[in-house]
Amino acid sequence: MAEALSLAEKAIALSEPNPRVGCVIVSGDGKVIGRGHTQQAGGPHAEVMALRDAAEHGHSVRGATVVVTLEPCAHHGRTPPCCDALVQAGVSHVVMAIEDPNPLVAGLGAERLRAAGIHVTHGVGAQAARELNIGFLSRMERQRPWVRLKVAASLDGRTALPNGVSQWITGESARTDGHAWRRRASAVLTGVGTVLDDNPRLDVRLVPTPWQPLRVVVDSHLAAPLDARIFDAPGSVLVYAASPSAERRAAFADRGIEVAYVAGADGKVDLAAMLADLAARGVNELHVEAGRKLNGSFVRERLVDEYLIYVAPKLLGAGLDIAAIGPFEDLTDAVALRFHQIERVGDDLRVLARPQTAEHRG
């Protein structure tokens, strides 16, 4: 299963919007005879790739054990059901890490395998498999992406000086690592304030990637300049607006920029509705790199599933904070988090923290 999980990691930035799945086929005498991972959407799934690998090397899989990180699919999508391929191949045992929460599968794959006389084991490597596909599971189970809010800050929690200067608080290693997290996301989001202040590209540049995530801009009144770099970088761009003028609507349409309108009662973009729309578009992981105001909105509305914070060993004193929340009058009002992972990246720390609320425990 450890090898299958390692193979599944190779599907990052490749299989979207499908889950990242790895598969290993083991012969009766304990030898690995086939390996595979999910290909691009519409391409072969991990099980089929592993079966092909075994066949290409002249191995029979009859009576073999198949170790896979996610329940084999049981429906006709762009490809035939994987469970049928395993039945036809004559394998005897399937070890899967987790069930597929996709309503089109949801236990049906395992059921069809058992009906064909194949022994099915479930739960090996489950936690690691869930982490690898945390966005896909969120989209299937909650109909919204897994929202990861990324921030680079000083040790005293400042993201910029009072004048807005923030380049660079963290070191080169942290910046490169941040691009790796962009790479694994389905979409990278920012707000119009960041577009106006920093004119970012928000594409993946510092690590190799076969694709560019969708870039998303929250811009209630379509105030972003049409020559902003975010509209020119490789890949697709989607802007969410609420109540722009007819003139700005026409300008964005003429520029060929896709705009989705999800207005809230306050005349701003309804973030929860936006997340539902992104899920409907197949977005699994949403990587947020925004300013303190939009960050604050995500935090106050309890829409952040994970905080990715790079902490530099610096003290900046007065400056901009991570998110515009509070002030609180009591410590019990604080946003309670739990540390999920802490690692050193170059001279900085990478902190992953998640809300303590039950729906985020997983």
Side-chain angles (χ1 to χ4, degrees):
M1 184 59 77
E3 184 171 359
L5 288 164
S6 179
L7 286 166
E9 291 180 357
K10 295 182 178 180
I12 292 175
L14 176 65
S15 65
E16 301 290 330
N18 293 334
R20 304 148 180 167
V21 184
C23 180
V24 173
I25 301 177
V26 184
S27 66
D29 59 359
K31 296 180 180 179
V32 173
I33 56 175
R35 299 175 175 86
H37 63 79
T38 312
Q39 301 301 297
Q40 69 281 356
H45 291 186
E47 300 91 328
V48 171
M49 292 297 292
L51 289 171
R52 289 182 183 178
D53 184 48
E56 289 173 0
H57 289 86
H59 299 301
S60 170
V61 300
R62 186 159 298 277
T65 295
V66 174
V67 181
V68 64
T69 59
L70 185 70
E71 177 183 6
C73 65
H75 65 291
H76 279 274
R78 300 184 190 181
T79 59
C82 289
C83 62
D84 290 354
L86 295 177
V87 170
Q88 293 168 8
V91 304
S92 63
H93 187 187
V94 172
V95 180
M96 63 185 196
I98 56 176
E99 291 185 351
D100 188 341
N102 186 335
L104 298 174
V105 185
L108 295 178
E111 182 179 317
R112 280 163 65 172
L113 291 172
R114 292 188 179 102
I118 297 173
H119 182 59
V120 177
T121 303
H122 165 258
V124 179
Q127 185 59 34
R130 287 191 64 86
E131 287 292 329
L132 188 59
N133 280 301
I134 201 162
F136 175 77
L137 298 178
S138 176
R139 181 164 66 88
M140 289 295 142
E141 296 170 349
R142 305 187 299 167
Q143 291 73 57
R144 49 164 281 187
W146 179 263
V147 177
R148 180 178 297 113
L149 192 154
K150 180 261 182 181
V151 175
S154 63
L155 192 59
D156 51 352
R158 302 304 180 189
T159 61
L161 298 175
N163 61 6
V165 173
S166 62
Q167 295 183 339
W168 297 102
I169 292 176
T170 54
E172 182 178 352
S173 295
R175 296 195 294 275
T176 301
D177 192 69
H179 276 241
W181 284 90
R182 282 185 187 178
R183 175 181 179 268
R184 70 166 282 156
S186 305
V188 180
L189 177 146
T190 195
V192 64
T194 299
V195 173
L196 292 170
D197 293 341
D198 300 336
N199 196 19
R201 290 167 56 180
L202 278 193
D203 57 344
V204 179
R205 302 182 304 279
L206 302 184
V207 295
T209 183
W211 83 317
Q212 290 292 337
L214 172 70
R215 296 185 308 286
V216 179
V217 181
V218 178
D219 186 0
S220 293
H221 306 296
L222 295 182
L226 294 175
D227 61 353
R229 294 198 301 172
I230 197 167
F231 299 133
D232 293 328
S236 301
V237 181
L238 174 62
V239 178
Y240 281 94
S243 54
S245 66
E247 179 183 0
R248 292 303 290 172
R249 286 175 184 250
F252 272 66
D254 290 344
R255 177 73 162 75
I257 301 169
E258 182 179 2
V259 180
Y261 298 95
V262 285
D266 58 358
K268 298 180 180 180
V269 170
D270 184 326
L271 296 182
M274 178 191 71
L275 293 181
D277 184 69
L278 286 171
R281 294 171 183 263
V283 171
N284 293 326
E285 294 183 21
L286 178 64
H287 181 93
V288 177
E289 293 193 28
R292 62 188 299 274
K293 291 183 179 179
L294 184 54
N295 285 351
S297 295
F298 271 98
V299 174
R300 288 193 304 273
E301 295 183 34
R302 299 293 193 263
L303 296 176
V304 181
D305 298 305
E306 184 170 66
Y307 294 81
L308 171 64
I309 302 179
Y310 294 92
V311 182
K314 300 175 182 177
L315 300 175
L316 297 187
L320 304 183
D321 50 11
I322 290 173
I325 57 174
F328 301 130
E329 296 182 357
D330 193 285
L331 284 176
T332 58
D333 296 327
V335 179
L337 306 176
R338 59 187 174 87
F339 290 123
H340 178 69
Q341 184 185 86
I342 300 176
E343 291 189 16
R344 185 166 177 169
V345 179
D347 293 329
D348 306 307
L349 291 181
R350 183 183 66 207
V351 177
L352 283 176
R354 295 176 179 174
Q356 291 184 3
T357 50
E359 65 266 25
H360 292 110
R361 289 190 182 277

